[in-house]
Amino acid sequence: MTDTPARLLSLLSLLQTPREWPGSELAERLDVSPRTIRRDIDRLRELGYPVEASRGSVGGYRLVAGTAMPPLLLDDEEAVAIAVGLRAGAGHAIEGVDEASVRALAKLEQVLPSRLRHRVSTLQNATMPLTRGDGSTIDPRTLTVMASAVTGQERLRFAYRAGDGAETKREAEPYRLVSTGWRWYLVAYDLGREGWRTFRVDRVSEPFATGARFAPRELPTGDAAEFLAGSIARRRRPELAVDVSFEAPAEFVSARLPASLGPLERTGENGCRLRTVLADSLEWVALRLALVDCEFTAHGPPQLVDYLGDLGARLSRAAAR
């Protein structure tokens, strides 16, 4: 192998397997002399790859952990496995790894060959994750397009569905993606409305990076997470002090309620009680309670009790018809 860059990549690929390689075996694999192998090892070290050499008749070379992580060479199977794993981590906001997953996935999918992109998509479409809470999930491709636009400082166009169902077309200068551990949000400057906005990513569709560059504006708070928290607080509904008793074991009920509602109190072998404070709508709370599929009693707040009575009456009339 006379092409030095190609030979270095082949050598690096061999060294990234978890074993020690005798110099003679590397030379035979790459069809070069042991002296050439020694020179190539020195080149890899100059590039930042920590290659360790051991002496003796059974000595050889192996790649060890260094102070920084150099680029990795992945075969097809490894690239597909990592991409699928990153999509899962990014798409469901796994606390602690979500934002790192998006950054890594954006870098990987930028260089992933089309044949491997197809394999990743096929595997992703053939599996269904167990979601939590309201089950809102997002297409990881949406996240990677947004992440690339943020990094590249490119204007972004997308369709957006508001909470009331109204659909609009937006063009914005993306600033940051923020994960709450529950949902993803995009903090961006909305060009059409001439102001800073936050967008729930699960309500975004057809994101498209226009290629038009922009100079980043100064965010009013200076911190995207702080800006998002303020935006959510301004939109938050009045809190509901929910108090509900269920005529079923706590294990049965907890498996059918979002974990965000908090822990259940055991009131007996076949009973439990939920006392929590929520900022969700009456309609959502009532629906979640009904979906538990067991007898329950709402003790408060009064507006929830009244709404459940009205809902029950409507359902009864619907069944009678």
mmCIF file with all atom_site columns, all heavy atoms in Angstrom, residues 241-261:
data_model
loop_
_atom_site.group_PDB
_atom_site.id
_atom_site.type_symbol
_atom_site.label_atom_id
_atom_site.label_alt_id
_atom_site.label_comp_id
_atom_site.label_asym_id
_atom_site.label_entity_id
_atom_site.label_seq_id
_atom_site.pdbx_PDB_ins_code
_atom_site.Cartn_x
_atom_site.Cartn_y
_atom_site.Cartn_z
_atom_site.occupancy
_atom_site.B_iso_or_equiv
_atom_site.pdbx_formal_charge
_atom_site.auth_seq_id
_atom_site.auth_comp_id
_atom_site.auth_asym_id
_atom_site.auth_atom_id
_atom_site.pdbx_PDB_model_num
ATOM 1   N N   . ALA A 1 241 ? -54.568 22.034 42.542 1.00 0.00 ? 241 ALA A N   1
ATOM 2   C CA  . ALA A 1 241 ? -54.209 21.144 43.642 1.00 0.00 ? 241 ALA A CA  1
ATOM 3   C C   . ALA A 1 241 ? -55.083 19.897 43.526 1.00 0.00 ? 241 ALA A C   1
ATOM 4   O O   . ALA A 1 241 ? -56.195 19.836 44.049 1.00 0.00 ? 241 ALA A O   1
ATOM 5   C CB  . ALA A 1 241 ? -54.418 21.834 44.977 1.00 0.00 ? 241 ALA A CB  1
ATOM 6   N N   . VAL A 1 242 ? -54.594 18.896 42.823 1.00 0.00 ? 242 VAL A N   1
ATOM 7   C CA  . VAL A 1 242 ? -55.369 17.698 42.500 1.00 0.00 ? 242 VAL A CA  1
ATOM 8   C C   . VAL A 1 242 ? -55.321 16.709 43.674 1.00 0.00 ? 242 VAL A C   1
ATOM 9   O O   . VAL A 1 242 ? -54.254 16.431 44.226 1.00 0.00 ? 242 VAL A O   1
ATOM 10  C CB  . VAL A 1 242 ? -54.825 17.040 41.218 1.00 0.00 ? 242 VAL A CB  1
ATOM 11  C CG1 . VAL A 1 242 ? -55.545 15.732 40.932 1.00 0.00 ? 242 VAL A CG1 1
ATOM 12  C CG2 . VAL A 1 242 ? -54.967 17.996 40.036 1.00 0.00 ? 242 VAL A CG2 1
ATOM 13  N N   . ASP A 1 243 ? -56.493 16.177 44.015 1.00 0.00 ? 243 ASP A N   1
ATOM 14  C CA  . ASP A 1 243 ? -56.606 15.183 45.082 1.00 0.00 ? 243 ASP A CA  1
ATOM 15  C C   . ASP A 1 243 ? -57.594 14.116 44.621 1.00 0.00 ? 243 ASP A C   1
ATOM 16  O O   . ASP A 1 243 ? -58.794 14.380 44.496 1.00 0.00 ? 243 ASP A O   1
ATOM 17  C CB  . ASP A 1 243 ? -57.085 15.846 46.374 1.00 0.00 ? 243 ASP A CB  1
ATOM 18  C CG  . ASP A 1 243 ? -57.107 14.883 47.559 1.00 0.00 ? 243 ASP A CG  1
ATOM 19  O OD1 . ASP A 1 243 ? -56.739 13.699 47.375 1.00 0.00 ? 243 ASP A OD1 1
ATOM 20  O OD2 . ASP A 1 243 ? -57.501 15.310 48.656 1.00 0.00 ? 243 ASP A OD2 1
ATOM 21  N N   . VAL A 1 244 ? -57.091 12.912 44.323 1.00 0.00 ? 244 VAL A N   1
ATOM 22  C CA  . VAL A 1 244 ? -57.918 11.849 43.740 1.00 0.00 ? 244 VAL A CA  1
ATOM 23  C C   . VAL A 1 244 ? -57.618 10.531 44.437 1.00 0.00 ? 244 VAL A C   1
ATOM 24  O O   . VAL A 1 244 ? -56.447 10.188 44.662 1.00 0.00 ? 244 VAL A O   1
ATOM 25  C CB  . VAL A 1 244 ? -57.655 11.701 42.222 1.00 0.00 ? 244 VAL A CB  1
ATOM 26  C CG1 . VAL A 1 244 ? -58.535 10.611 41.627 1.00 0.00 ? 244 VAL A CG1 1
ATOM 27  C CG2 . VAL A 1 244 ? -57.874 13.018 41.506 1.00 0.00 ? 244 VAL A CG2 1
ATOM 28  N N   . SER A 1 245 ? -58.663 9.776  44.760 1.00 0.00 ? 245 SER A N   1
ATOM 29  C CA  . SER A 1 245 ? -58.519 8.429  45.321 1.00 0.00 ? 245 SER A CA  1
ATOM 30  C C   . SER A 1 245 ? -58.861 7.400  44.250 1.00 0.00 ? 245 SER A C   1
ATOM 31  O O   . SER A 1 245 ? -59.845 7.566  43.516 1.00 0.00 ? 245 SER A O   1
ATOM 32  C CB  . SER A 1 245 ? -59.452 8.234  46.524 1.00 0.00 ? 245 SER A CB  1
ATOM 33  O OG  . SER A 1 245 ? -59.090 9.105  47.578 1.00 0.00 ? 245 SER A OG  1
ATOM 34  N N   . PHE A 1 246 ? -58.068 6.329  44.167 1.00 0.00 ? 246 PHE A N   1
ATOM 35  C CA  . PHE A 1 246 ? -58.285 5.263  43.193 1.00 0.00 ? 246 PHE A CA  1
ATOM 36  C C   . PHE A 1 246 ? -58.598 3.959  43.928 1.00 0.00 ? 246 PHE A C   1
ATOM 37  O O   . PHE A 1 246 ? -57.960 3.646  44.945 1.00 0.00 ? 246 PHE A O   1
ATOM 38  C CB  . PHE A 1 246 ? -57.043 5.062  42.320 1.00 0.00 ? 246 PHE A CB  1
ATOM 39  C CG  . PHE A 1 246 ? -56.661 6.260  41.514 1.00 0.00 ? 246 PHE A CG  1
ATOM 40  C CD1 . PHE A 1 246 ? -55.736 7.177  42.004 1.00 0.00 ? 246 PHE A CD1 1
ATOM 41  C CD2 . PHE A 1 246 ? -57.210 6.478  40.263 1.00 0.00 ? 246 PHE A CD2 1
ATOM 42  C CE1 . PHE A 1 246 ? -55.373 8.287  41.262 1.00 0.00 ? 246 PHE A CE1 1
ATOM 43  C CE2 . PHE A 1 246 ? -56.864 7.584  39.510 1.00 0.00 ? 246 PHE A CE2 1
ATOM 44  C CZ  . PHE A 1 246 ? -55.943 8.494  40.008 1.00 0.00 ? 246 PHE A CZ  1
ATOM 45  N N   . GLU A 1 247 ? -59.547 3.207  43.383 1.00 0.00 ? 247 GLU A N   1
ATOM 46  C CA  . GLU A 1 247 ? -59.889 1.900  43.942 1.00 0.00 ? 247 GLU A CA  1
ATOM 47  C C   . GLU A 1 247 ? -59.145 0.811  43.176 1.00 0.00 ? 247 GLU A C   1
ATOM 48  O O   . GLU A 1 247 ? -59.726 -0.048 42.520 1.00 0.00 ? 247 GLU A O   1
ATOM 49  C CB  . GLU A 1 247 ? -61.403 1.687  43.887 1.00 0.00 ? 247 GLU A CB  1
ATOM 50  C CG  . GLU A 1 247 ? -62.185 2.697  44.714 1.00 0.00 ? 247 GLU A CG  1
ATOM 51  C CD  . GLU A 1 247 ? -63.686 2.491  44.610 1.00 0.00 ? 247 GLU A CD  1
ATOM 52  O OE1 . GLU A 1 247 ? -64.111 1.361  44.292 1.00 0.00 ? 247 GLU A OE1 1
ATOM 53  O OE2 . GLU A 1 247 ? -64.436 3.471  44.837 1.00 0.00 ? 247 GLU A OE2 1
ATOM 54  N N   . ALA A 1 248 ? -57.827 0.882  43.274 1.00 0.00 ? 248 ALA A N   1
ATOM 55  C CA  . ALA A 1 248 ? -56.956 -0.081 42.596 1.00 0.00 ? 248 ALA A CA  1
ATOM 56  C C   . ALA A 1 248 ? -55.579 0.003  43.244 1.00 0.00 ? 248 ALA A C   1
ATOM 57  O O   . ALA A 1 248 ? -55.227 1.031  43.829 1.00 0.00 ? 248 ALA A O   1
ATOM 58  C CB  . ALA A 1 248 ? -56.870 0.211  41.102 1.00 0.00 ? 248 ALA A CB  1
ATOM 59  N N   . PRO A 1 249 ? -54.770 -1.067 43.141 1.00 0.00 ? 249 PRO A N   1
ATOM 60  C CA  . PRO A 1 249 ? -53.425 -1.039 43.723 1.00 0.00 ? 249 PRO A CA  1
ATOM 61  C C   . PRO A 1 249 ? -52.563 0.074  43.124 1.00 0.00 ? 249 PRO A C   1
ATOM 62  O O   . PRO A 1 249 ? -52.737 0.466  41.962 1.00 0.00 ? 249 PRO A O   1
ATOM 63  C CB  . PRO A 1 249 ? -52.860 -2.427 43.372 1.00 0.00 ? 249 PRO A CB  1
ATOM 64  C CG  . PRO A 1 249 ? -54.058 -3.277 43.145 1.00 0.00 ? 249 PRO A CG  1
ATOM 65  C CD  . PRO A 1 249 ? -55.095 -2.376 42.548 1.00 0.00 ? 249 PRO A CD  1
ATOM 66  N N   . ALA A 1 250 ? -51.645 0.571  43.919 1.00 0.00 ? 250 ALA A N   1
ATOM 67  C CA  . ALA A 1 250 ? -50.780 1.667  43.466 1.00 0.00 ? 250 ALA A CA  1
ATOM 68  C C   . ALA A 1 250 ? -49.979 1.272  42.227 1.00 0.00 ? 250 ALA A C   1
ATOM 69  O O   . ALA A 1 250 ? -49.759 2.100  41.335 1.00 0.00 ? 250 ALA A O   1
ATOM 70  C CB  . ALA A 1 250 ? -49.843 2.074  44.603 1.00 0.00 ? 250 ALA A CB  1
ATOM 71  N N   . GLU A 1 251 ? -49.539 -0.002 42.162 1.00 0.00 ? 251 GLU A N   1
ATOM 72  C CA  . GLU A 1 251 ? -48.756 -0.448 40.995 1.00 0.00 ? 251 GLU A CA  1
ATOM 73  C C   . GLU A 1 251 ? -49.573 -0.351 39.716 1.00 0.00 ? 251 GLU A C   1
ATOM 74  O O   . GLU A 1 251 ? -49.061 0.032  38.657 1.00 0.00 ? 251 GLU A O   1
ATOM 75  C CB  . GLU A 1 251 ? -48.268 -1.893 41.191 1.00 0.00 ? 251 GLU A CB  1
ATOM 76  C CG  . GLU A 1 251 ? -47.252 -2.066 42.307 1.00 0.00 ? 251 GLU A CG  1
ATOM 77  C CD  . GLU A 1 251 ? -47.894 -2.089 43.692 1.00 0.00 ? 251 GLU A CD  1
ATOM 78  O OE1 . GLU A 1 251 ? -49.152 -2.079 43.770 1.00 0.00 ? 251 GLU A OE1 1
ATOM 79  O OE2 . GLU A 1 251 ? -47.145 -2.109 44.689 1.00 0.00 ? 251 GLU A OE2 1
ATOM 80  N N   . PHE A 1 252 ? -50.854 -0.715 39.798 1.00 0.00 ? 252 PHE A N   1
ATOM 81  C CA  . PHE A 1 252 ? -51.742 -0.656 38.633 1.00 0.00 ? 252 PHE A CA  1
ATOM 82  C C   . PHE A 1 252 ? -51.923 0.782  38.171 1.00 0.00 ? 252 PHE A C   1
ATOM 83  O O   . PHE A 1 252 ? -51.840 1.090  36.978 1.00 0.00 ? 252 PHE A O   1
ATOM 84  C CB  . PHE A 1 252 ? -53.100 -1.272 39.004 1.00 0.00 ? 252 PHE A CB  1
ATOM 85  C CG  . PHE A 1 252 ? -54.131 -1.216 37.915 1.00 0.00 ? 252 PHE A CG  1
ATOM 86  C CD1 . PHE A 1 252 ? -54.258 -2.242 36.995 1.00 0.00 ? 252 PHE A CD1 1
ATOM 87  C CD2 . PHE A 1 252 ? -54.999 -0.117 37.806 1.00 0.00 ? 252 PHE A CD2 1
ATOM 88  C CE1 . PHE A 1 252 ? -55.209 -2.182 35.981 1.00 0.00 ? 252 PHE A CE1 1
ATOM 89  C CE2 . PHE A 1 252 ? -55.945 -0.048 36.800 1.00 0.00 ? 252 PHE A CE2 1
ATOM 90  C CZ  . PHE A 1 252 ? -56.050 -1.086 35.883 1.00 0.00 ? 252 PHE A CZ  1
ATOM 91  N N   . VAL A 1 253 ? -52.171 1.692  39.120 1.00 0.00 ? 253 VAL A N   1
ATOM 92  C CA  . VAL A 1 253 ? -52.450 3.089  38.779 1.00 0.00 ? 253 VAL A CA  1
ATOM 93  C C   . VAL A 1 253 ? -51.195 3.786  38.258 1.00 0.00 ? 253 VAL A C   1
ATOM 94  O O   . VAL A 1 253 ? -51.241 4.507  37.251 1.00 0.00 ? 253 VAL A O   1
ATOM 95  C CB  . VAL A 1 253 ? -53.017 3.831  40.002 1.00 0.00 ? 253 VAL A CB  1
ATOM 96  C CG1 . VAL A 1 253 ? -53.228 5.314  39.677 1.00 0.00 ? 253 VAL A CG1 1
ATOM 97  C CG2 . VAL A 1 253 ? -54.331 3.195  40.444 1.00 0.00 ? 253 VAL A CG2 1
ATOM 98  N N   . SER A 1 254 ? -50.063 3.586  38.932 1.00 0.00 ? 254 SER A N   1
ATOM 99  C CA  . SER A 1 254 ? -48.835 4.283  38.534 1.00 0.00 ? 254 SER A CA  1
ATOM 100 C C   . SER A 1 254 ? -48.394 3.891  37.131 1.00 0.00 ? 254 SER A C   1
ATOM 101 O O   . SER A 1 254 ? -47.790 4.688  36.412 1.00 0.00 ? 254 SER A O   1
ATOM 102 C CB  . SER A 1 254 ? -47.708 3.994  39.532 1.00 0.00 ? 254 SER A CB  1
ATOM 103 O OG  . SER A 1 254 ? -47.405 2.610  39.560 1.00 0.00 ? 254 SER A OG  1
ATOM 104 N N   . ALA A 1 255 ? -48.720 2.651  36.713 1.00 0.00 ? 255 ALA A N   1
ATOM 105 C CA  . ALA A 1 255 ? -48.348 2.211  35.361 1.00 0.00 ? 255 ALA A CA  1
ATOM 106 C C   . ALA A 1 255 ? -49.167 2.914  34.289 1.00 0.00 ? 255 ALA A C   1
ATOM 107 O O   . ALA A 1 255 ? -48.794 2.897  33.115 1.00 0.00 ? 255 ALA A O   1
ATOM 108 C CB  . ALA A 1 255 ? -48.516 0.702  35.241 1.00 0.00 ? 255 ALA A CB  1
ATOM 109 N N   . ARG A 1 256 ? -50.266 3.564  34.689 1.00 0.00 ? 256 ARG A N   1
ATOM 110 C CA  . ARG A 1 256 ? -51.169 4.205  33.724 1.00 0.00 ? 256 ARG A CA  1
ATOM 111 C C   . ARG A 1 256 ? -51.201 5.722  33.850 1.00 0.00 ? 256 ARG A C   1
ATOM 112 O O   . ARG A 1 256 ? -51.982 6.382  33.170 1.00 0.00 ? 256 ARG A O   1
ATOM 113 C CB  . ARG A 1 256 ? -52.593 3.634  33.906 1.00 0.00 ? 256 ARG A CB  1
ATOM 114 C CG  . ARG A 1 256 ? -52.702 2.200  33.406 1.00 0.00 ? 256 ARG A CG  1
ATOM 115 C CD  . ARG A 1 256 ? -53.891 1.475  33.994 1.00 0.00 ? 256 ARG A CD  1
ATOM 116 N NE  . ARG A 1 256 ? -54.032 0.144  33.396 1.00 0.00 ? 256 ARG A NE  1
ATOM 117 C CZ  . ARG A 1 256 ? -53.279 -0.903 33.743 1.00 0.00 ? 256 ARG A CZ  1
ATOM 118 N NH1 . ARG A 1 256 ? -52.351 -0.775 34.688 1.00 0.00 ? 256 ARG A NH1 1
ATOM 119 N NH2 . ARG A 1 256 ? -53.455 -2.078 33.151 1.00 0.00 ? 256 ARG A NH2 1
ATOM 120 N N   . LEU A 1 257 ? -50.368 6.265  34.722 1.00 0.00 ? 257 LEU A N   1
ATOM 121 C CA  . LEU A 1 257 ? -50.280 7.713  34.880 1.00 0.00 ? 257 LEU A CA  1
ATOM 122 C C   . LEU A 1 257 ? -48.874 8.191  34.550 1.00 0.00 ? 257 LEU A C   1
ATOM 123 O O   . LEU A 1 257 ? -47.893 7.472  34.790 1.00 0.00 ? 257 LEU A O   1
ATOM 124 C CB  . LEU A 1 257 ? -50.622 8.123  36.324 1.00 0.00 ? 257 LEU A CB  1
ATOM 125 C CG  . LEU A 1 257 ? -52.093 8.100  36.739 1.00 0.00 ? 257 LEU A CG  1
ATOM 126 C CD1 . LEU A 1 257 ? -52.209 8.481  38.208 1.00 0.00 ? 257 LEU A CD1 1
ATOM 127 C CD2 . LEU A 1 257 ? -52.939 9.034  35.880 1.00 0.00 ? 257 LEU A CD2 1
ATOM 128 N N   . PRO A 1 258 ? -48.720 9.398  34.007 1.00 0.00 ? 258 PRO A N   1
ATOM 129 C CA  . PRO A 1 258 ? -47.378 9.939  33.772 1.00 0.00 ? 258 PRO A CA  1
ATOM 130 C C   . PRO A 1 258 ? -46.599 10.058 35.076 1.00 0.00 ? 258 PRO A C   1
ATOM 131 O O   . PRO A 1 258 ? -47.149 10.458 36.104 1.00 0.00 ? 258 PRO A O   1
ATOM 132 C CB  . PRO A 1 258 ? -47.659 11.319 33.159 1.00 0.00 ? 258 PRO A CB  1
ATOM 133 C CG  . PRO A 1 258 ? -49.048 11.253 32.638 1.00 0.00 ? 258 PRO A CG  1
ATOM 134 C CD  . PRO A 1 258 ? -49.782 10.314 33.539 1.00 0.00 ? 258 PRO A CD  1
ATOM 135 N N   . ALA A 1 259 ? -45.318 9.732  35.028 1.00 0.00 ? 259 ALA A N   1
ATOM 136 C CA  . ALA A 1 259 ? -44.489 9.820  36.232 1.00 0.00 ? 259 ALA A CA  1
ATOM 137 C C   . ALA A 1 259 ? -44.396 11.251 36.745 1.00 0.00 ? 259 ALA A C   1
ATOM 138 O O   . ALA A 1 259 ? -44.155 11.476 37.932 1.00 0.00 ? 259 ALA A O   1
ATOM 139 C CB  . ALA A 1 259 ? -43.094 9.273  35.929 1.00 0.00 ? 259 ALA A CB  1
ATOM 140 N N   . SER A 1 260 ? -44.604 12.231 35.852 1.00 0.00 ? 260 SER A N   1
ATOM 141 C CA  . SER A 1 260 ? -44.496 13.637 36.250 1.00 0.00 ? 260 SER A CA  1
ATOM 142 C C   . SER A 1 260 ? -45.567 14.049 37.253 1.00 0.00 ? 260 SER A C   1
ATOM 143 O O   . SER A 1 260 ? -45.437 15.084 37.908 1.00 0.00 ? 260 SER A O   1
ATOM 144 C CB  . SER A 1 260 ? -44.595 14.532 35.013 1.00 0.00 ? 260 SER A CB  1
ATOM 145 O OG  . SER A 1 260 ? -45.844 14.359 34.373 1.00 0.00 ? 260 SER A OG  1
ATOM 146 N N   . LEU A 1 261 ? -46.642 13.267 37.373 1.00 0.00 ? 261 LEU A N   1
ATOM 147 C CA  . LEU A 1 261 ? -47.700 13.624 38.317 1.00 0.00 ? 261 LEU A CA  1
ATOM 148 C C   . LEU A 1 261 ? -47.281 13.385 39.758 1.00 0.00 ? 261 LEU A C   1
ATOM 149 O O   . LEU A 1 261 ? -47.946 13.855 40.682 1.00 0.00 ? 261 LEU A O   1
ATOM 150 C CB  . LEU A 1 261 ? -48.977 12.817 38.014 1.00 0.00 ? 261 LEU A CB  1
ATOM 151 C CG  . LEU A 1 261 ? -49.646 13.090 36.677 1.00 0.00 ? 261 LEU A CG  1
ATOM 152 C CD1 . LEU A 1 261 ? -50.968 12.349 36.581 1.00 0.00 ? 261 LEU A CD1 1
ATOM 153 C CD2 . LEU A 1 261 ? -49.870 14.576 36.471 1.00 0.00 ? 261 LEU A CD2 1
#
